[in-house]
Amino acid sequence: MKCIILIAAPAAGKGTISKYIEDKYNYKHISTGDLLRNEIKKNTEIGKKIKSIISSGSLVGDDVIKEVFEKEFKKSKSNIILDGIPRTLAQAKMLDELDKEYDNIEIDKVIHIDIDKEIAIDRIENRLICENCGSVFSKKVIKDSKCTKCGDNLVSREDDNKETFLDRYNTFLKETKPLLKYYGDKVITIYNNSTLEDIYKNVDELLEGDE
Ligand code: ADP
């Protein structure tokens, strides 16, 4: 099973790019953010524990991440794209362990999506997410508050405000960015400062032959 890892600051476009790769290249999209928000929505024991952590912009503990991720990972049969994991060195090592255990994950590419901080803040302040399918939209282009893919409601995430963004951004610099060194030669950096067409073109160049 091929595995693409996305590493990026908040609002850099992990979710949008994942959905594109999922639709066009037939990868299964696993977003730890979506899995965690789902636990909160369903008010599970995990959901109750993590609600305030997510709203504050801090990272959820590695043990919880392992639990929710492994459950989803075990159901995967196709190639996978990992959006939001690993975010710490311990999680990168956990993936290596899963690889040993299941002996079928091939970390094929690690895509680092880079973005200017000011552009990320603007996107965060205008971001809308579909409650049902997790698709991402901008208040700047959307006419009504309905998802154009599945028709469900679009909402602003509780952690999508400038103050929490700055905390999430600093957490990214401290905990997650160092993983680029860990993955070394596997890392490819693409910039997502301009239009969606440009970023999709970059992704197509990277994944040529995978269709
Ligand atoms: P972002 O747009 O900030 O990248 P995500 O949807 O990926 O958002 O994640 C939202 C929040 O969920 C994070 O700020 C963090 O609190 C929590 N989270 C998601 N994935 C992880 C992870 N792998 N480890 C720890 N916390 C996580």
Side-chain angles (χ1 to χ4, degrees), residues 8-15 31-37 50 53-62 65 69 83-88 91 124 127 129 157 159-160 164-165 168-169 171 176:
K14 283 189 282 94
S31 154
T32 44
D34 287 350
L35 294 175
L36 297 172
R37 280 185 288 277
I50 62 175
I53 303 178
I54 294 197
S55 320
S56 73
S58 306
L59 290 184
V60 169
D62 291 329
I65 295 298
F69 174 73
D83 161 4
I85 183 170
R87 260 178 152 104
T88 62
Q91 291 175 19
I124 282 280
R127 181 154 81 168
I129 307 275
R157 273 169 42 181
D159 57 346
D160 273 355
T164 312
F165 168 84
R168 284 153 66 198
Y169 191 81
T171 305
T176 311

Side-chain angles (χ1 to χ4, degrees), residues 75 113 126 134 136 170:
K75 291 191 251 163
I113 312 162
N126 285 290
V136 184
N170 288 333

